[in-house]
Amino acid sequence: MQTINELETTIIDMVQKGRGVLAADESAPTIAKRFDAIDVESSEENRRAWRSALLTTEGLGEYISGTILFEETLGQKADDGKTIPQAAWAQKIVPGIKVDKGKIPLALSPGDLITQGLDGLADRLRGYKEQGARFAKWREVYAIEDKVPSQHGIEANAEMLARYAAVCQAEGVVPIVEPEVLMDGSHDIERHAEVTEAVQHAVFDALIRHNVVLELMILKPNMILPGKDKRRAPPEEVAAATLKVLRRTVPTAMPSINFLSGGMGPEESTINLNAINQMASDGLWKLSISYGRALQQPSLQAWQGKAENIPAAQQALLKRARLNHLAMLGEYEEAMEND
Ligand code: 13P
């Protein structure tokens, strides 16, 4: 009962109209890649300074209700001396934690991937909770090739996501379930839809088999897009394809769908989110964000690893957060980019 109360409270704190999640949980190799692009060394201090800058952005809590952190960040201090989870809380932003340990090839299943990290997960969650985390994230990754993902790969990944989600709920931690069908490649939008539909169908089947309470979790899916090597689809087409797959696969018991940005640009991901919310007049789920790159990129460019650039970096983050807030309400217009 105690656990159910904890889960309910976290869902109430996180799922609110017009607010979304900031993903700042890049693993060591990924943050090194992002820093490399601005010629900044990925030292522990630089990672701390960057994530402190993000989460102490004044006013961020108006648009952001949760943030996904990397394990190292949970124990680090913001510039004001608070721990980073406390700094997030100070803005009513719920701190969460990425708990998966990354992907490897699925053995004997060429081209399929699988994510690791279930061993000892319950113990790790107890520790993360003591450090302030109230929700978790686990990402499974599906590349699209001719015969990939295989049905076997889809089922193996679904099983992992469901086992992770069940352990989280048993520990009073809200699971964000992230099955990401990548947009890399030259597939058309129909193929992305077909694979995502099969993936989500298997994921919800597994979640239900594992007794996961759908009301107390959040789905983090990809939007439906043509492959990156193809021409971009108009937002109305993305919105229609995305909503069609969601309506076919996601029970309405699930409170919130928080899209990943997955390589869409900052503006592109806001435009598509806005189109989705304008088209989804039926209010089945909250249709929100859990963007990493699309929220952070302009801010990272402004920062350049320099303390004197932090105010500009925070302004850039706040701008993207506000525009995505408007997109969650279906009230975004491209002209607002120039305000
Ligand atoms: P992107 O929005 O950059 O895809 O990152 C979201 C995320 O958390 C991926 O796991």
Side-chain angles (χ1 to χ4, degrees), residues 208-235:
I208 290 162
R209 251 187 303 111
H210 283 261
N211 304 318
V212 172
V213 183
L214 300 184
E215 287 83 350
L216 301 175
M217 59 159 275
I218 291 171
L219 178 70
K220 173 166 176 166
N222 49 279
M223 291 182 192
I224 307 297
L225 305 158
K228 255 192 209 150
D229 305 342
K230 283 256 158 87
R231 188 138 29 112
R232 254 163 72 173

Side-chain angles (χ1 to χ4, degrees), residues 10-199:
T10 302
I11 287 286
I12 289 167
D13 288 341
M14 288 181 72
V15 179
Q16 289 169 11
K17 185 84 185 155
R19 292 176 85 210
V21 171
L22 164 66
D25 61 327
E26 298 83 3
S27 61
T30 305
I31 194 78
K33 203 159 74 183
R34 306 272 185 268
F35 279 8
D36 206 36
I38 53 164
D39 225 0
V40 169
E41 186 204 346
S42 179
S43 62
E44 188 179 339
E45 170 50 24
N46 283 340
R47 293 191 295 271
R48 186 208 63 77
W50 170 239
R51 285 154 173 170
S52 163
L54 291 175
L55 289 161
T56 55
T57 299
E58 216 172 303
L60 189 66
E62 206 178 316
Y63 315 122
I64 297 294
S65 60
T67 184
I68 317 172
L69 304 173
F70 188 58
E71 192 172 10
E72 172 190 71
T73 317
L74 277 185
Q76 287 179 325
K77 293 220 163 92
D79 289 343
D80 60 5
K82 293 190 177 90
T83 66
I84 290 192
Q86 284 167 346
W89 266 127
Q91 305 221 54
K92 296 196 164 48
I93 298 173
V94 182
I97 172 79
K98 181 233 291 295
V99 298
D100 69 66
K101 297 203 164 188
K103 60 185 176 356
I104 51 167
L106 179 61
L108 305 184
S109 199
D112 285 315
L113 301 164
I114 194 91
T115 296
Q116 335 184 63
L118 281 179
D119 285 355
L121 179 59
D123 281 345
R124 283 165 57 212
L125 285 171
R126 281 174 216 142
Y128 297 146
K129 252 177 120 173
E130 276 172 21
Q131 290 179 290
R134 295 247 307 267
F135 71 94
K137 182 197 96 172
W138 181 293
R139 171 176 179 250
E140 293 290 337
V141 184
Y142 310 78
I144 295 189
E145 290 164 30
D146 258 6
K147 296 194 168 140
V148 171
S150 69
Q151 187 55 32
H152 162 61
I154 287 175
E155 283 166 19
N157 278 273
E159 198 66 15
M160 293 298 270
L161 278 171
R163 287 184 61 196
Y164 140 79
V167 175
C168 284
Q169 288 192 340
E171 295 300 326
V173 173
V174 165
I176 292 190
V177 169
E178 179 180 4
E180 177 175 4
V181 182
L182 297 175
M183 59 185 283
D184 302 85
S186 57
H187 51 267
D188 54 25
I189 193 167
E190 288 80 15
R191 172 91 169 122
H192 203 221
E194 175 191 279
V195 173
T196 306
E197 183 174 335
V199 161

Side-chain angles (χ1 to χ4, degrees), residues 279-301:
M279 205 174 276
S281 52
D282 42 13
L284 296 174
W285 320 269
K286 297 272 183 314
L287 292 156
S288 177
I289 59 166
S290 177
Y291 290 166
R293 281 163 286 180
L295 278 173
Q296 291 186 49
Q297 235 165 32
S299 184
L300 200 58
Q301 281 300 329

